Amino acid sequence: MTLAHKYVEGSPDAPVLLLLHGTGGSPDDLLGLARELSPDAAVLAPAGPVSEHGAARWFRRLAEGVFDHEDVVKRANELADFVVEAREKYGLGDRRLVAIGFSNGANIAAAVVLLRPEVVREAALFASMSPVPQPPDHDLSATRVFLANGERDPMAPLASTEELIGLLRERGADVVTQRHPGGHQITEDGVRAAARWITI
Ligand code: MLT
């Protein structure tokens, strides 16, 4: 497989959760969150393949919040190919798959949704921002995205989140948003809202 990962089987009636950690994280980081979101879900948790001074990430950045867009596109395609490969390897067939991402993991999830919508149709994004400035005009009418963002998040400014929401909605995606007064974090309210969103 192209990406090191952890796979934990779950109920075939629950979605498969694709867990995408933040900068410096690992496949284990979001396992607890996955259990809160969907207790019986299978989880597919890859490791970010890019090293930033030893911290695992999903794509390169030039500075905080300044992305290497060419690398975003390349890495989003790599992750999408990995998901296709994993479906085959673990016999997932056409089981529902929902990407769950935090921070840099949410940003790569957003990129895959925009660039390879046939691979990831549903995503819950915590502390995400807009990953690519002018994504192709894919039809996202079969796409659902949940976004939770902090009003005081210096790393994922609301202007960039709003840009992402606009890109998704312009392409026909069903977008649900949640705001909290905090910063770059996952809140209890956000988890509860995402859990409800997943069961719909
Ligand atoms: C990113 O680089 O994706 C965002 O700035 C969030 C982060 O990982 O710090």
Side-chain angles (χ1 to χ4, degrees), residues 22-24 52 57 59-61 63-67 102-108 127 129 155-156 184:
T23 298
E52 185 184 77
R57 282 179 55 83
F59 54 83
R60 283 201 307 244
R61 62 182 164 182
E64 194 175 295
V66 184
F67 301 157
F102 169 62
S103 185
N104 184 240
N107 296 340
I108 195 72
M129 52 197 285
M155 288 156 103
H184 203 65

Side-chain angles (χ1 to χ4, degrees), residues 59 68-78 111 115 132:
F59 54 83
D68 175 340
H69 293 128
E70 229 174 86
D71 199 51
V72 175
V73 171
K74 177 179 150 195
R75 299 297 182 174
N77 278 305
E78 181 183 52
L115 298 168
V132 269

